[in-house]
């Protein structure tokens, strides 16, 4: 049966992406009751139940999954047509999932310039411990710590980046000098991640310095670890784009450098969209602008 009201499809898409009526309502700027009414109308026109109600929210039925594939293509076509006709360039929204440190210390600093360049875009910067998945359409673009091995994805290396040990001069003053990794084993407080809560093996930094080292002040947040370091609490590993950018910290064991990589990942179905391409190009630009910090030179 033909459905003529595009707003019903938009409500369906918002619920499919967020998993909850209330979240979908906030995304679309309306209340959950209106979203629910539009869903009921769409289900009546389609002659099928599109979502199952659970304690956590709405889960797509088989009919809903089939409709989602069609509606996503419609939404992409609509966005591309709108962008093509916009004098200000790409329009619509882009959700970027990045690690907490990279998002807060690098991406966020440049977002103002990106917004000025593309005023028609709305940007969601999800900078947290853990990543949203482009393959499940949770994010349009993800900057991951390793190249994904499966899924309908396109991935390329965004940049290598260096990490080093850091501490504050106040912490180091009066303590045993750190001339080798073995000096960290006694008389020093080590800061790092909570081992069982590390969401990616690439975050096991201390083991790259010395396999016997273990943090005693631990957090799942790299920003919290940074706060401990500048508060003179101990010694810890930070990406150089954080540690070298902060004048309150100095390098410890400067000859020891850890190298990791960022991978730029998109869904193959959306990779070529104008708004996605523009954002990918911009992310590559800002990494080049901060190349010396990334390399830790």
């Amino acid at each position: 049966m033909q459905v003529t009201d595009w707003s019903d499809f938009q409500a369906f898409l918002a619920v499919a992406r967020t998993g909850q009526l209330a979240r979908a309502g906030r995304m679309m700027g309306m209340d959950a009751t209106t979203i629910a009414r539009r869903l009921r109308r769409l289900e009546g026109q389609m002659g099928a139940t599109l979502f199952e109600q659970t304690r956590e929210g709405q889960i797509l039925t088989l009919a809903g999954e089939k409709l989602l594939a069609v509606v996503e293509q419609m939404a992409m076509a609509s966005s591309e047509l709108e962008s093509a006709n916009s004098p200000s360039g790409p329009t619509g929204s882009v959700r970027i999932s990045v690690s907490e440190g990279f998002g807060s210390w690098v991406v966020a600093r440049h977002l103002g310039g990106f917004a000025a360049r593309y005023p028609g875009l709305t940007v969601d910067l999800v900078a947290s411990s853990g990543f949203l998945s482009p393959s499940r359409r949770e994010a349009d673009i993800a900057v991951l710590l390793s190249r994904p091995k499966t899924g309908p994805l396109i991935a390329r290396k965004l940049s290598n980046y260096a990490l080093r040990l850091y501490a504050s001069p106040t912490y180091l003053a009066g303590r045993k000098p750190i001339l080798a990794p073995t000096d960290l084993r006694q008389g020093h407080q080590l800061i790092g991640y909570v081992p069982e809560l590390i969401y990616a093996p690439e975050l096991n930094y201390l083991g790259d310095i010395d396999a016997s080292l273990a943090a005693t002040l631990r957090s799942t947040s790299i920003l919290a670890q940074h706060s401990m370091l500048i508060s003179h609490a101990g010694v810890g590993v930070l990406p150089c784009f954080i540690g070298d950018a902060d004048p309150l910290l100095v390098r410890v064991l400067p000859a020891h450098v850890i190298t990791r990589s960022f991978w730029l990942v998109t869904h193959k179905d959306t990779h070529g969209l104008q708004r996605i391409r523009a954002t990918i190009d911009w992310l590559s630009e800002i990494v080049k602008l901060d190349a010396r910090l990334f390399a830790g030179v």
Side-chain angles (χ1 to χ4, degrees), residues 143-159:
V143 179
L144 305 180
L145 300 179
S146 62
R147 184 171 194 159
K149 295 180 175 61
T150 60
L153 303 170
I154 294 176
R156 68 174 176 84
K157 185 180 287 188
L158 178 62
S159 175

Side-chain angles (χ1 to χ4, degrees), residues 16-29:
R17 287 175 171 172
T18 63
Q20 291 186 355
L21 294 174
R23 290 178 183 172
R26 288 194 293 271
M27 177 185 290
M28 295 188 66

Side-chain angles (χ1 to χ4, degrees), residues 116-174:
R117 187 189 304 181
Y118 300 118
L121 279 179
T122 298
V123 180
D124 295 338
L125 177 62
V126 183
S128 59
S129 298
F131 298 96
L132 301 182
S133 170
S135 63
R136 294 196 297 268
R137 306 297 179 91
E138 295 171 340
D140 297 301
I141 300 169
V143 179
L144 305 180
L145 300 179
S146 62
R147 184 171 194 159
K149 295 180 175 61
T150 60
L153 303 170
I154 294 176
R156 68 174 176 84
K157 185 180 287 188
L158 178 62
S159 175
N160 292 329
Y161 65 99
L163 306 99
R164 297 178 185 271
L165 281 165
Y166 293 92
S168 71
T170 299
Y171 170 82
L172 294 173

Side-chain angles (χ1 to χ4, degrees), residues 105 222-231 238 242 246 249:
W105 279 79
I222 193 69
L223 299 186
Q225 293 175 42
H226 169 259
S227 292
M228 293 183 218
L229 290 170
I230 63 174
S231 299
L238 291 175
I242 297 178
D246 192 332
L249 297 174

Side-chain angles (χ1 to χ4, degrees), residues 47 64 89 128 191 200 209 217 222:
S128 59
I191 295 168
I209 302 295
L217 289 178
I222 193 69

Side-chain angles (χ1 to χ4, degrees), residues 155-232:
R156 68 174 176 84
K157 185 180 287 188
L158 178 62
S159 175
N160 292 329
Y161 65 99
L163 306 99
R164 297 178 185 271
L165 281 165
Y166 293 92
S168 71
T170 299
Y171 170 82
L172 294 173
R175 284 183 168 82
K176 177 183 175 182
I178 304 172
L179 303 177
T182 52
D183 294 331
L184 293 166
R185 297 176 190 172
Q186 293 182 339
H188 287 285
Q189 190 90 263
L190 296 181
I191 295 168
Y193 283 98
V194 183
E196 61 270 26
L197 298 180
I198 289 179
Y199 61 88
E202 292 79 12
L203 298 179
N204 184 20
Y205 302 137
L206 284 175
D208 283 30
I209 302 295
D210 187 312
S212 66
L213 297 179
T216 52
L217 289 178
R218 310 185 301 191
S219 174
T220 58
S221 165
I222 193 69
L223 299 186
Q225 293 175 42
H226 169 259
S227 292
M228 293 183 218
L229 290 170
I230 63 174
S231 299
H232 327 305

Side-chain angles (χ1 to χ4, degrees), residues 98-99 101-110 143-145 157-164 166 238-245 251 257-263 282-297:
V98 297
S99 63
F102 178 58
S104 301
W105 279 79
V106 180
V107 180
R109 289 192 297 109
H110 296 281
V143 179
L144 305 180
L145 300 179
K157 185 180 287 188
L158 178 62
S159 175
N160 292 329
Y161 65 99
L163 306 99
R164 297 178 185 271
Y166 293 92
L238 291 175
C240 292
F241 59 75
I242 297 178
D244 287 349
R251 293 177 178 180
V257 183
I258 302 168
T259 301
R260 295 289 190 267
S261 300
F262 284 133
W263 290 85
W282 169 72
L283 286 169
S284 299
E285 286 177 19
I286 64 174
V287 167
K288 289 178 181 177
L289 286 174
D290 290 330
R292 291 180 62 83
L293 281 176
F294 274 78
V297 297

